[in-house]
Amino acid sequence: MRAKLLSLVAVAALVSPMALAQNAAPPDHIFASHSEIEGLIQKAMKDRKGNAPNTIEPILSLAPYRAQLEYRTALAPAALHEKDAEMMYVLQGTGVITEGGKLVGEKRTNANNRGGDSIEGGTAHNVSPGDVIIIPQNTPHQVNPTGGAPIVLMTFHVPRPAGNWP
């Protein structure tokens, strides 16, 4: 009896981490309605921590692609994604998206991204609802909300395909 109990405990100990790992991976989410997006904007407003310049909420995911909502209330550090391009679609508010140039105060933020205090050079784009921009991989970019209100973006991170894509 004791051997059976120990066997069951051992099996449970081996299976539990696998079950937790499976639950930790978010399921594919390939559609979001207008009302869900509006709900995510309200959620981002509530989830904002202190004076954080950017609050991010996941919208869609289908590995290796992801779309997220970015609720930006102030100028955040510049970014550069080494492994993926980023498309930004303005949902609400106005701002200036600067792309290109060189990161100032560059530092590694994680294995695939670098950041900086600002951008030297680059091209500034005044944006408002309905505008869209693609930031190629390895391109510095920075978002600055204007107009006295947050700018809300839907961003899509798209890994660069291997080889000579068309």
Side-chain angles (χ1 to χ4, degrees):
M1 182 70 163
R2 185 174 178 190
K4 256 187 184 177
L5 182 59
L6 287 174
S7 294
L8 286 173
V9 169
V11 168
L14 290 172
V15 171
S16 294
M18 290 186 286
L20 288 173
Q22 288 175 350
N23 290 338
D28 290 344
H29 188 118
I30 61 169
F31 175 79
S33 68
H34 175 77
S35 62
E36 288 173 308
I37 300 294
E38 290 298 319
L40 287 173
I41 293 169
Q42 297 304 311
K43 184 176 184 324
M45 291 170 64
K46 291 177 189 166
D47 287 353
R48 183 173 174 233
K49 305 282 191 254
N51 291 331
N54 191 16
T55 303
I56 297 173
E57 301 291 346
I59 299 173
L60 303 173
S61 64
L62 179 63
Y65 310 106
R66 68 186 189 283
Q68 54 197 22
L69 182 129
E70 295 191 19
Y71 182 85
R72 293 176 169 265
T73 57
L75 180 66
L80 180 148
H81 309 301
E82 296 173 329
K83 306 252 185 218
D84 59 326
E86 182 175 11
M87 185 176 83
M88 299 177 178
Y89 179 80
V90 182
L91 295 170
Q92 295 179 356
T94 60
V96 176
I97 298 176
T98 303
E99 50 81 25
K102 182 177 175 14
L103 291 172
V104 174
E106 183 177 321
K107 56 193 158 286
R108 176 144 313 270
T109 54
N110 60 42
N112 298 319
N113 298 295
R114 291 181 279 153
D117 301 321
S118 61
I119 294 175
E120 183 179 280
T123 303
H125 304 274
N126 292 309
V127 296
S128 58
D131 291 347
V132 64
I133 185 170
I134 293 179
I135 310 296
Q137 77 182 62
N138 289 313
T139 302
H141 56 283
Q142 190 170 29
V143 178
N144 187 12
T146 61
I151 185 169
V152 181
L153 305 170
M154 184 183 316
T155 62
F156 300 92
H157 289 264
V158 183
R160 188 76 172 169
N164 292 329
W165 184 70

